[in-house]
Amino acid sequence: MTTSASGEEPVAEQFGMTKDGQAVELFTLKSDTGLVAKVMTRGATLVQLHVPDNDGKSADVVLGFDSVAGYESEDNQYFGCTTGRVCNRIAKGKFTLDGKEYSLAVNNEPNHLHGGGEKSLDKVVWKAKSFSNDKGQGVRFSYSSPDGEEGYPGQLDIVVTYFVPVTGNRLNITYNATTDKATPVNLTNHAYFNLAGAGSPSVLDHTLRLNADRYTPTDDTLIPTGAVDSVEGTPLDFRKVTKIGQRIEPLTGTGALGYDHNFVLNAPEAGKKLVLAAALREKTSGRILRVRTDQPAIQFYSGNFLKGQVGKEGKSYAHRSAICLETQHYPDSVNHSNFPNTILKPGEKFQSTTIYEFAVAGTEGNGKGDGAKKKL
Ligand code: GAL
């Protein structure tokens, strides 16, 4: 036994009840270095994420609600949830697989978004099992989506594991899935970050670097045209550290209403090994978030639909007051044969990992340790 957080198995608390009477549980995961994550069984959702700033002061850096009712309300724009079976958009809610056409919910006119309606992965209540070992604490959420649920073929058995290592202020999310019929799978987490603390007025002063030379252009309804273009000379060039607000205005008049784009990750191993995909930084708090993933792409969404809804502790979430960095496959992959494959077949194992790693500016760039090397 150890005296650190890793010695204690996280205990389930009651978070509330869904409208249809299902109990929702909440688990708290802690590192020994100040990170606290709260995750719930509805939608296998990240509800709170507290991380220290330059002065060691913690703040909750993700948007969310204090109650299940909040998550069930119209104000919830996929805050912190596990998103799928296929996150992002599928054109007109249609695809053909092995000669058969499938029709999905059109819940974002004229397209299918984030897995559909009442039984998309963000809305169902998952089973949970917490664990701890000498490396950290975690919760394993599992959900078995029956054949035909939300129009998708095959029974999909999904396990999403949140894990907080003892040190390092990281939140690791691992996705596993198997199926009994060929079916598209694209899973992500939809956390909205504001590194000054959820409820702070804007993210336009945050700086961002994305490890992406290319992106997938879309039509006005955010469906990819099929092209994969260079970011060079566009407001999407985040290869150097850039303020989010610096070039956002020209995008306001587009279908995306700001940043809402799929960036193709560069590294030769993208899609196989963990690569540093994104680094987000907020000057006042000194907080830095690095996103590592084995997924081939990342959707950078600048919170353009946030509308001042009231979230945790009565704080309101203004337009562009948080950003999502959603690691995933390209949108509408199922209708583009030139995009990396998203079809999972019986006998195959889907596995993917994304790590959100937090640091503070004060401890980096001093030429010691690996802070300087890792700087993105
Ligand atoms: C994002 C998507 C946006 C918007 C948002 C939810 O993942 O890219 O267009 O739908 O989710 O409000």
Side-chain angles (χ1 to χ4, degrees):
M1 279 295 275
T2 148
T3 51
S4 81
S6 64
E8 302 153 25
E9 198 159 295
V11 178
E13 286 166 58
Q14 292 309 311
F15 188 54
M17 298 287 261
T18 62
K19 272 189 225 138
D20 60 0
Q22 298 179 76
V24 176
E25 292 179 331
L26 185 75
F27 295 84
T28 302
L29 309 177
K30 290 181 183 170
S31 75
D32 280 0
T33 44
L35 182 142
V36 179
K38 295 199 181 219
V39 290
M40 70 161 168
T41 50
R42 182 185 191 268
T45 295
L46 176 65
V47 175
Q48 295 178 23
L49 185 60
H50 301 259
V51 286
D53 69 3
N54 255 337
D55 301 321
K57 221 175 127 225
S58 262
D60 185 358
V61 296
V62 295
L63 307 195
F65 297 99
D66 291 323
S67 67
V68 175
Y71 283 95
E72 288 181 326
S73 75
E74 291 281 304
D75 284 345
N76 183 12
Q77 295 173 343
Y78 300 90
F79 293 165
C81 67
T82 296
T83 317
R85 295 183 184 194
V86 175
C87 64
N88 216 316
R89 290 172 173 81
I90 293 179
K92 312 251 176 354
K94 293 215 184 304
F95 67 94
T96 301
L97 186 56
D98 296 335
K100 192 169 168 202
E101 190 180 76
Y102 292 89
S103 288
L104 311 170
V106 172
N107 56 330
N108 186 250
E109 279 294 336
N111 301 316
H112 176 79
L113 177 71
H114 293 333
E118 286 304 300
K119 294 284 185 174
S120 53
L121 298 183
D122 56 296
K123 295 185 191 71
V124 297
V125 177
W126 297 53
K127 289 196 179 118
K129 193 157 172 29
S130 63
F131 61 94
S132 79
N133 55 41
D134 57 359
K135 296 198 173 62
Q137 303 184 319
V139 181
R140 199 171 289 121
F141 291 109
S142 54
Y143 180 68
S144 183
S145 176
D147 186 7
E149 190 165 67
E150 288 297 335
Y152 290 101
Q155 174 178 315
L156 190 69
D157 292 310
I158 316 153
V159 177
V160 175
T161 307
Y162 286 88
F163 185 73
V164 172
V166 179
T167 57
N169 285 346
R170 291 196 299 272
L171 176 67
N172 302 354
I173 309 179
T174 305
Y175 304 85
N176 288 277
T178 54
T179 182
D180 62 2
K181 276 186 197 160
T183 194
V185 177
N186 193 3
L187 301 173
T188 192
N189 181 280
H190 211 293
Y192 285 69
F193 295 98
N194 184 316
L195 297 183
S200 300
S202 172
V203 278
L204 297 183
D205 280 343
H206 283 46
T207 60
L208 180 68
R209 190 171 163 197
L210 293 173
N211 186 11
D213 290 343
R214 294 173 305 151
Y215 75 108
T216 51
T218 65
D219 66 15
D220 268 359
T221 74
L222 303 191
I223 293 296
T225 59
V228 181
D229 284 355
S230 169
V231 295
E232 179 99 45
T234 77
L236 307 184
D237 191 347
F238 281 91
R239 292 174 295 181
K240 292 199 182 108
V241 174
T242 306
K243 268 194 188 170
I244 290 173
Q246 196 168 311
R247 296 167 307 192
I248 201 169
E249 271 324 309
L251 298 173
T252 302
T254 68
L257 306 175
Y259 289 105
D260 197 354
H261 297 79
N262 171 64
F263 290 79
V264 173
L265 295 173
N266 278 337
E269 288 126 336
K272 290 196 187 79
K273 283 191 184 160
L274 285 173
V275 297
L276 189 52
L280 181 69
R281 188 187 272 241
E282 198 279 318
K283 213 170 154 193
T284 316
S285 63
R287 289 191 188 92
I288 299 168
L289 162 63
R290 292 196 178 83
V291 182
R292 294 173 203 280
T293 189
D294 54 15
Q295 290 294 280
I298 193 164
Q299 181 87 8
F300 161 35
Y301 166 59
S302 56
N304 312 308
F305 294 110
L306 292 172
K307 50 181 184 182
Q309 63 262 63
V310 176
K312 290 178 279 189
E313 298 176 328
K315 291 181 179 159
S316 81
Y317 300 147
H319 178 58
R320 295 185 181 154
S321 67
I323 82 163
C324 301
L325 293 165
E326 307 159 45
T327 56
Q328 59 190 257
H329 272 253
Y330 308 2
D332 199 29
S333 286
V334 76
N335 290 311
H336 295 278
S337 56
N338 60 321
F339 288 178
N341 172 53
T342 54
I343 303 299
L344 182 70
K345 297 197 174 125
E348 292 177 349
K349 287 188 176 156
F350 175 91
Q351 214 216 330
S352 153
T353 299
T354 290
I355 300 180
Y356 296 120
E357 180 184 320
F358 293 88
V360 281
T363 61
E364 296 207 330
N366 58 6
K368 294 183 195 150
D370 63 354
K373 262 190 283 161
K374 279 198 305 197
K375 216 165 179 180
L376 182 84

